[in-house]
Amino acid sequence: MATLTTPAPRVALPGVLKHQAVRKLLMLALAAAILVPLANAQWASGTWPHALTVDLTKPLTSASDWIIDNRDSHPLFLYFFGYLSNGVVLSVRAVYLVLLGAGWAGVTAAGALVAWRVAGVRLALGTAAAFLACGLLGMWVPTMQTLALMIVAVLVSVVVGVLLGLAGGLSERLDRGLRPVLDTMQVLPAFAYLLPVVLVFGIGVPAAVLATVVYAAPPMARLTALGLRGADKEVLEAVDSLGATARQRLLTARIPLARKELLLGLNQTIMMALGMAVIASVIGAGGLGDRVYQALASVDVGAALAAGIPIVLLAVVLDRVTAAAGRAGDGEPGSHRAAWAYAAVAAVAVALAGRAVGRLDWPDAWTVNIAATVNDAVDWMTDHLYSGVPVIGGTADWAGHFTTWILDPLRAGLQGLPWWAVLLLVAAIAWPIGTWRTALTAVLALAATGVLGVWEPSLDTLSQVLAAVAVTLVIGFATGIAAARSDRVEQLLRPVLDVFQTMPQFVYLIPVVALFGVGRAPAVAAAVVYALPAVVRITTQGLRQVDPAAMESARSLGATGAQQLRQVQLPLARPALLLAVNQGVVLVLAVVIIGGLVGGGALGYDAVFGLAQGDLATGLVAGAAIVCLGLMLDRVTQPADRRVKKGA
């Protein structure tokens, strides 16, 4: 007998519960209603519970002392780290001596000829002018020290990055294992890399080179793997049909097809190596970064600018040359080899001519001292622009007002909240944007700062990051919208953004110290300026890539420009805007940490203090907290769909 069944009626959810974000927040509120009373009953003070804090000072100090005591006797140091350290020192020393032996004329000629072969006459003239400017500013020797360190670090980074990229590009399992590690490494501030290597190698060039390698290798690895995985399938099938072995397939098809990605990886590696080589001056890297570091420590803006200009020039030249190499076509191999041979012969001839006439060192008479002039200008600014300017006040007044009205209340608000409320707030932001794993990772990362005993400094750093991100997003979104709606504005902005995006983080501290003095507000100002170009560029691209059909539909319905922006462009560009927020947060954190050098305080100060005073326990705890804070901020601002697309 047949039976007739009717489906059970589905219970319709109230309208507000149809939104996934609302359901997540309700579940979070339910969990909080159960857990918060239990936590409050156990630890009622509201500050981070002392019982949940793990004091690592003693074990870290013991480990540091053990390393120092055994550095000259333990087999691990004698037969591994010792050889590694000596190899790095000898390599940097050898490259440095070659650069000095070539003389200023030989190095300038070699740089200009390489730029000519890669990018043409115009960039060759710019490269020669950049090297000559380094000499004119009296920074030839520090520039060669920085170049020597960079050359060694970039070579090692490329080797390490290519090997990791090959592993990830040829093996799906290794790619899945490497991807989260590379993701995490790329969002961590540069300072976080310094402390572990100092613990093992001590202060000096080996620690600086190895920190630079660890910092600069991830983009090479990621882009190598991406290039190998993106190789044209039809070409690979054609190679297979010819009976090529796996090795022949790699060397004759996959690597040549990934040429553009490899050169882009080289560009990114060089730029990151330069940035890190400058920052590594705080652990004894020497060179231009050390000149800036020493000048900032004594608030000598003129000396800092004299060393900062060569850093900017090097960054711009290296970026343009390597970017041009990535865009260059293949051409005729024979003619390329001949042209490179002529260029090499010309560079050697110039170097030998310089040696013959005894002009290896940059002549002192050709040096221009700009430090005194710049310091006079800064003194004038201090007297006339720092305070008391009619109507608008002065730069010191602005910094003071920003600190009093924004930074102090924000820090007091965060530190005044119960610890569980801060964690709940992080979960409430992270879960609707991402997944429950994202929220859990962010909460655990922030909680780890409390476990490390640096809850209050971490919230101080977080308050600076939030203030800087808010300013960055307001200015960045407004500028990005203007650039997206006007070709002329975008053309005017493009060269400015290009230059700003190539400059190392350290350089941004120089103008803000000149304008605002030292303190938390200057650190925030430097972070804003550093992060703005990326936010503007991503916002502009996101808005310009909105589906033209959707825009045409809005126009045909009579929507005004403001309505098109608000109802069509911004909603459709949401993934790009979230990416802009994520990049803005990561970049702001990197500079806020470095702001510890100019009075930013909090975790940045602890890290600098630990490095400067040899108190590695304090520095390592601060470094671990910086890693946790960076991880938390990245996860909170990382949309779920981007996580899926990564590495695809």
Side-chain angles (χ1 to χ4, degrees):
M1 178 179 175
T3 57
L4 181 64
T5 60
T6 57
R10 297 181 62 183
V11 179
L13 291 173
V16 69
L17 293 180
K18 291 180 180 177
H19 297 285
Q20 190 181 32
V22 174
R23 292 200 300 274
K24 289 180 177 179
L25 289 176
L26 285 176
M27 293 171 66
L28 186 63
L30 182 63
I34 298 171
L35 296 177
V36 168
L38 295 175
N40 210 33
Q42 185 72 21
W43 304 290
S45 65
T47 59
W48 183 266
H50 182 71
L52 296 181
T53 302
V54 177
D55 187 4
L56 296 176
T57 304
K58 190 174 179 180
L60 286 175
T61 303
S62 300
S64 176
D65 291 343
W66 183 87
I67 290 173
I68 293 171
D69 293 341
N70 293 276
R71 197 171 277 158
D72 297 328
S73 58
H74 195 278
L76 181 63
F77 291 93
L78 287 177
Y79 302 111
F80 181 66
F81 290 130
Y83 283 121
L84 192 60
S85 177
N86 292 337
V88 169
V89 171
L90 289 174
S91 301
V92 174
R93 184 72 179 167
V95 175
Y96 178 60
L97 291 176
V98 168
L99 292 174
L100 290 185
W104 64 268
V107 173
T108 303
L113 288 168
V114 169
W116 167 62
R117 287 303 310 135
V118 171
V121 176
R122 190 174 173 185
L123 191 52
L125 293 175
T127 302
F131 276 108
L132 294 177
C134 296
L136 283 172
L137 291 168
M139 294 291 157
W140 185 259
V141 171
T143 302
M144 294 303 104
Q145 291 172 343
T146 299
L147 263 185
L149 191 147
M150 262 194 63
I151 289 171
V152 174
V154 167
L155 289 175
V156 179
S157 299
V158 168
V159 172
V160 173
V162 167
L163 290 176
L164 291 175
L166 284 173
L170 300 177
S171 166
E172 181 67 33
R173 180 177 295 179
L174 287 174
D175 187 52
R176 284 200 301 270
L178 283 173
R179 202 183 302 160
V181 178
L182 297 176
D183 285 349
T184 304
M185 290 177 72
Q186 286 197 286
V187 302
L188 298 183
F191 252 40
Y193 292 88
L194 301 180
L195 292 153
V197 293
V198 169
L199 179 66
V200 176
F201 295 97
I203 299 287
V205 170
V209 170
L210 292 171
T212 305
V213 169
V214 176
Y215 184 67
M220 192 75 219
R222 182 185 290 280
L223 286 164
T224 301
L226 184 66
L228 293 177
R229 290 186 169 278
D232 191 332
K233 298 273 189 297
E234 294 181 359
V235 175
L236 296 179
E237 288 175 3
V239 173
D240 285 340
S241 67
L242 295 173
T245 63
R247 181 168 169 273
Q248 290 171 330
R249 190 183 189 214
L250 175 67
L251 296 177
T252 60
R254 282 197 151 187
I255 289 180
L257 289 172
R259 177 178 176 274
K260 286 193 174 180
E261 285 80 5
L262 291 172
L263 288 172
L264 179 59
L266 177 64
N267 171 276
Q268 294 296 304
T269 298
I270 289 175
M271 300 313 297
M272 294 187 76
L274 176 60
M276 191 63 173
V278 174
I279 293 172
S281 61
V282 299
I283 59 170
L288 294 169
D290 188 57
R291 298 297 181 99
V292 176
Y293 177 53
Q294 299 297 338
L296 287 176
S298 56
V299 200
D300 186 348
V301 177
L305 188 64
I309 290 174
I311 295 172
V312 174
L313 293 174
L314 274 182
V316 172
V317 165
L318 291 170
D319 179 63
R320 297 295 183 276
V321 171
T322 50
R327 293 192 298 269
D330 294 333
E332 293 293 331
S335 63
H336 274 255
R337 281 194 290 270
W340 278 108
Y342 292 143
V345 169
V348 171
V350 172
L352 292 176
R355 290 185 71 87
V357 298
R359 289 285 188 180
L360 289 180
D361 300 329
W362 183 270
D364 292 336
W366 294 2
T367 300
V368 178
N369 183 8
I370 66 167
T373 306
V374 173
N375 283 333
D376 288 342
V378 173
D379 290 340
W380 184 88
M381 287 173 54
T382 305
D383 294 337
H384 296 86
L385 299 180
Y386 262 37
S387 184
V389 179
V391 183
I392 63 171
T395 54
D397 294 332
W398 300 346
H401 293 328
F402 189 78
T403 303
T404 306
W405 296 344
I406 305 293
L407 292 177
D408 286 348
L410 193 54
R411 180 176 63 182
L414 284 173
Q415 293 180 344
L417 285 173
W419 61 275
W420 48 263
V422 178
L423 297 181
L424 274 177
L425 191 60
V426 169
I429 297 172
W431 199 3
I433 296 176
T435 64
W436 68 268
R437 291 186 181 88
T438 308
L440 183 62
T441 305
V443 168
L444 290 178
L446 184 59
T449 64
V451 174
L452 291 168
V454 286
W455 180 254
E456 299 289 324
S458 298
L459 294 185
D460 188 358
T461 299
L462 183 59
S463 69
Q464 295 178 45
V465 171
L466 293 178
V469 167
V471 177
T472 303
L473 294 183
V474 169
I475 300 174
F477 283 164
T479 310
I481 290 171
R485 299 175 73 83
S486 167
D487 292 338
R488 188 172 183 181
V489 173
E490 189 187 22
Q491 288 171 358
L492 290 174
L493 282 175
R494 191 178 301 157
V496 179
L497 298 178
D498 286 346
V499 172
F500 273 59
Q501 281 196 298
T502 59
M503 290 197 290
Q505 304 154 4
F506 218 41
V507 176
Y508 288 87
L509 298 179
I510 300 171
V512 297
V513 169
L515 282 172
F516 303 109
V518 296
R520 283 183 290 152
V524 169
V528 170
V529 179
Y530 181 66
L532 259 180
V535 173
V536 171
R537 183 153 278 169
I538 296 171
T539 303
T540 304
Q541 288 178 351
L543 292 174
R544 281 185 174 273
Q545 289 173 357
V546 167
D547 188 355
M551 293 297 296
E552 187 59 36
S553 299
R555 278 192 289 269
S556 66
L557 292 173
T560 64
Q563 288 172 330
Q564 292 172 32
L565 174 67
R566 193 174 59 254
Q567 297 175 3
V568 180
Q569 279 185 295
L570 290 178
L572 291 179
R574 181 175 176 271
L577 298 180
L578 287 175
L579 177 61
V581 173
N582 177 268
Q583 291 299 295
V585 168
V586 171
L587 296 174
V588 159
L589 174 65
V591 179
V592 163
I593 294 299
I594 295 174
L597 293 169
V598 294
L603 292 176
Y605 172 78
D606 288 347
V608 173
F609 176 84
L611 289 169
Q613 301 298 320
D615 184 357
L616 291 182
T618 300
L620 283 169
V621 168
I626 291 168
V627 171
C628 294
L629 205 56
L631 195 61
M632 184 275 287
L633 288 168
D634 179 64
R635 294 302 181 266
V636 163
T637 56
Q638 195 176 93
D641 54 346
R642 185 187 155 208
R643 296 174 62 81
V644 172
K645 289 176 182 176
K646 268 190 173 183

